[in-house]
Amino acid sequence: MTLSFAQLKKKTIVFLVLLVFTSFNTFTVSAISINKAPSEKTAEFIQFNANSIAVVKRSLKSGNAAKYTLEAYQHLIQKADAALALNNPTVMDKKFSPPSNNKHDYMSISRYWWPDPTSPSGLPWLRKDGLTNPETQTDDVDRRRLGKAMGSIKLLSLAYYFSDNEKYAQKGISLIDTWFLDEKTQMNPHLQYAQSVPGNPKGRRSGILDGRLIPERVLDAITIFSASPAWNTEKQTQMNAWLSEYLHWLTTSKLGKAGAKQKNNHGSWYRFQVAALAWYLGNDTLLKQAIIATQQSFSEQFNEQGAQEHELKRTRTFFYSCFNLQALIRVANIAEKANLSLWQYTSPEGYNLTLAVDYLMPVTRGEKWPHASKKIELTRLAGILADIQIHDKNPKYSQALHKIFSDLAKQKKLSSHQQRVYYEFALLKPQLMYGQASDQQ
């Protein structure tokens, strides 16, 4: 009889013996040596456009915001109000303890792995790419809690920014305290036990992907919260120390070094994490290394048509092509802040970001995606199109983006991802949503 994940819970000791990783009793990291202390760079955004959101805030305050922007703001406040009642997630709430027996260590189970039906114990688990095992997405481990905590921090920071209501800052900062700073509840700054697989005796470099949510959703939130009396120098110092230790683990640990060698989206999101953290913390050496590594990855990730060959091996080829490109573009945007080139970079073979974006463009014109894929959601392209039109003035990018949102506006029901993209653009980038001739203005 094959044991399910739920049944394995009842055999915790056996599970932990057979589970996953390079086992050791304790995990410690030393503080990273930073080229220079965090400086005025921490007053700038990693991902938000400061000018754009300032214009939106003024339009909301003056009552001149577009209807869809006002609706997005109301949606934001509704969700932020709900988040005020959230019990602060913490890694201490998981039911399992990792092999270190320290619940402060983050732990998750890889989503595409399932019990082996031919094995009496179900071990080792087998990979079924693109097919999520729902038993890996429960609160027995930390992945959902990480997503909820990081997502709520971002949500509350935006609610605070646009409303100036301190209650949102206080709650968001309390979430940061619980997840990162409070000695009783904090996550240790490493991912040694992330995306584990039952029956696999090694730590998995793929688990580093979980950590992208930290720089993606928290760094800009801290910048916004720094305007609040509830955020102080002590918290900033503590948070910088946590982020520095995490960056140190990413770049010096055995698992981190293995993660740096990944050639697909995992490698791209690894480099995004290093670039974002290095830029935020003022570590110019690591920042340049991450950008150069991203440049070098073009030769391995793209072909002469701009197809991303590693992502085309997946069952969700369109999703992963967009997902990987999102990471590369975020590194490119950080490089721009540091006056380094990635948008303008072309590999010796002639591969660049524009070539990769153009490979995806025919789908926006109604042409069939030439690869097997479970689902095609054009909203996956929205952020990519928004960024490339800043660097390439070809009107085809803005026209494609306008069409995506015009089509969304005609739909009676949106998927959760479509709704999230629509509201985020309406609030943060409303000027990019529709053409001037649109009646949506």
Side-chain angles (χ1 to χ4, degrees), residues 46-47 209 211-217 219 247 250 265-279 287 290-291 294 324 326-334:
I46 298 289
Q47 296 185 93
L209 186 66
R212 76 186 188 281
L213 299 181
I214 296 171
E216 186 180 38
R217 300 181 181 177
L219 298 184
L247 179 58
L250 282 174
N265 68 83
H266 286 270
S268 299
W269 283 107
Y270 171 90
R271 288 181 281 276
F272 161 73
Q273 291 191 62
V274 172
L277 291 166
W279 187 84
L287 174 60
I291 293 169
T294 304
N324 183 55
Q326 288 165 358
L328 295 172
I329 284 174
R330 290 183 185 186
V331 177
N333 290 342
I334 293 169

Side-chain angles (χ1 to χ4, degrees), residues 26 52 95 105 152 171 284 324-325 336:
T26 60
S52 178
K95 293 184 180 179
D105 293 339
S152 297
K171 179 62 176 179
D284 291 339
N324 183 55
L325 201 49
E336 290 287 314

Side-chain angles (χ1 to χ4, degrees), residues 106 142-151 179 210-211 213-214:
Y106 175 90
D142 291 320
R143 185 178 179 275
R144 287 208 314 178
R145 267 185 298 278
L146 175 68
K148 183 177 290 185
M150 302 306 105
W179 193 271
D210 286 10
L213 299 181
I214 296 171

Side-chain angles (χ1 to χ4, degrees), residues 172-235:
I173 291 168
S174 77
L175 287 165
I176 292 174
D177 283 340
T178 300
W179 193 271
F180 296 103
L181 305 181
D182 188 329
E183 291 183 357
K184 295 179 181 179
T185 59
Q186 67 184 177
M187 169 189 166
N188 285 335
H190 68 85
L191 294 170
Q192 187 69 28
Y193 308 121
Q195 290 199 24
S196 55
V197 173
N200 183 339
K202 297 180 180 180
R204 300 183 71 244
R205 61 185 185 178
S206 297
I208 293 173
L209 186 66
D210 286 10
R212 76 186 188 281
L213 299 181
I214 296 171
E216 186 180 38
R217 300 181 181 177
V218 176
L219 298 184
D220 284 350
I222 293 172
T223 299
I224 291 173
F225 288 145
S226 65
S228 168
W231 189 259
N232 54 41
T233 302
E234 181 181 1
K235 290 184 187 296

Side-chain angles (χ1 to χ4, degrees), residues 110-113 127-132 195 204 206 209 262-267 269 308-324 369-376:
S110 194
R111 70 186 307 151
Y112 296 145
W113 293 74
R127 185 170 183 261
K128 298 180 181 180
D129 185 37
L131 186 61
T132 296
Q195 290 199 24
R204 300 183 71 244
S206 297
L209 186 66
Q262 296 178 102
K263 297 180 180 180
N264 62 353
N265 68 83
H266 286 270
W269 283 107
Q308 300 167 63
E309 295 185 323
H310 295 290
E311 312 312 324
L312 296 181
K313 297 176 182 178
R314 309 296 297 269
T315 58
R316 302 167 67 196
T317 56
F318 185 77
F319 166 83
Y320 278 108
S321 292
C322 294
F323 187 56
N324 183 55
W369 176 244
H371 307 281
S373 192
K374 288 190 173 183
K375 191 175 184 180
I376 305 293

Side-chain angles (χ1 to χ4, degrees), residues 4 64 245 281 289 365 379:
S4 69
N64 295 322
E245 290 193 27
L281 294 166
Q289 289 175 358
R365 300 189 293 270
T379 43

Side-chain angles (χ1 to χ4, degrees), residues 36-327:
K36 52 189 177 184
S39 62
E40 70 279 357
K41 286 183 179 178
T42 57
E44 300 179 34
F45 291 128
I46 298 289
Q47 296 185 93
F48 299 150
N49 183 300
N51 292 331
S52 178
I53 63 174
V55 169
V56 173
K57 183 175 182 178
R58 288 195 296 270
S59 74
L60 288 167
K61 295 290 186 182
S62 67
N64 295 322
K67 178 182 177 181
Y68 49 83
T69 299
L70 181 58
E71 289 175 349
Y73 171 70
Q74 293 168 341
H75 179 77
L76 169 72
I77 294 302
Q78 183 181 25
K79 291 180 71 69
D81 284 341
L84 294 175
L86 176 70
N87 290 327
N88 290 5
T90 167
V91 289
M92 304 305 290
D93 290 339
K94 58 179 167 282
K95 293 184 180 179
F96 289 134
S97 291
S100 62
N101 292 319
N102 185 349
K103 283 196 171 183
H104 289 282
D105 293 339
Y106 175 90
M107 178 181 175
S108 65
I109 306 295
S110 194
R111 70 186 307 151
Y112 296 145
W113 293 74
W114 295 72
D116 181 355
T118 66
S119 169
S121 66
L123 300 172
W125 280 19
L126 304 175
R127 185 170 183 261
K128 298 180 181 180
D129 185 37
L131 186 61
T132 296
N133 181 348
E135 294 177 339
T136 68
Q137 305 302 301
T138 71
D139 284 335
D140 291 340
V141 287
D142 291 320
R143 185 178 179 275
R144 287 208 314 178
R145 267 185 298 278
L146 175 68
K148 183 177 290 185
M150 302 306 105
S152 297
I153 289 168
K154 177 182 176 181
L155 173 75
L156 290 160
S157 71
L158 289 172
Y160 174 57
Y161 176 82
F162 287 112
S163 73
D164 293 319
N165 193 321
E166 275 294 319
K167 67 181 181 181
Y168 301 123
Q170 291 170 5
K171 179 62 176 179
I173 291 168
S174 77
L175 287 165
I176 292 174
D177 283 340
T178 300
W179 193 271
F180 296 103
L181 305 181
D182 188 329
E183 291 183 357
K184 295 179 181 179
T185 59
Q186 67 184 177
M187 169 189 166
N188 285 335
H190 68 85
L191 294 170
Q192 187 69 28
Y193 308 121
Q195 290 199 24
S196 55
V197 173
N200 183 339
K202 297 180 180 180
R204 300 183 71 244
R205 61 185 185 178
S206 297
I208 293 173
L209 186 66
D210 286 10
R212 76 186 188 281
L213 299 181
I214 296 171
E216 186 180 38
R217 300 181 181 177
V218 176
L219 298 184
D220 284 350
I222 293 172
T223 299
I224 291 173
F225 288 145
S226 65
S228 168
W231 189 259
N232 54 41
T233 302
E234 181 181 1
K235 290 184 187 296
Q236 186 69 60
T237 300
Q238 291 176 320
M239 194 66 210
N240 285 341
W242 194 99
L243 295 169
S244 295
E245 290 193 27
Y246 178 54
L247 179 58
H248 180 76
W249 181 83
L250 282 174
T251 54
T252 65
S253 69
K254 182 178 179 180
L255 209 59
K257 290 179 179 179
K261 296 178 181 179
Q262 296 178 102
K263 297 180 180 180
N264 62 353
N265 68 83
H266 286 270
S268 299
W269 283 107
Y270 171 90
R271 288 181 281 276
F272 161 73
Q273 291 191 62
V274 172
L277 291 166
W279 187 84
Y280 182 84
L281 294 166
N283 191 322
D284 291 339
T285 298
L286 286 180
L287 174 60
K288 291 177 182 178
Q289 289 175 358
I291 293 169
I292 291 171
T294 304
Q295 290 177 338
Q296 293 172 343
S297 76
F298 286 8
S299 297
E300 297 177 324
Q301 294 209 40
F302 305 146
N303 66 17
E304 58 274 10
Q305 285 82 40
Q308 300 167 63
E309 295 185 323
H310 295 290
E311 312 312 324
L312 296 181
K313 297 176 182 178
R314 309 296 297 269
T315 58
R316 302 167 67 196
T317 56
F318 185 77
F319 166 83
Y320 278 108
S321 292
C322 294
F323 187 56
N324 183 55
L325 201 49
Q326 288 165 358

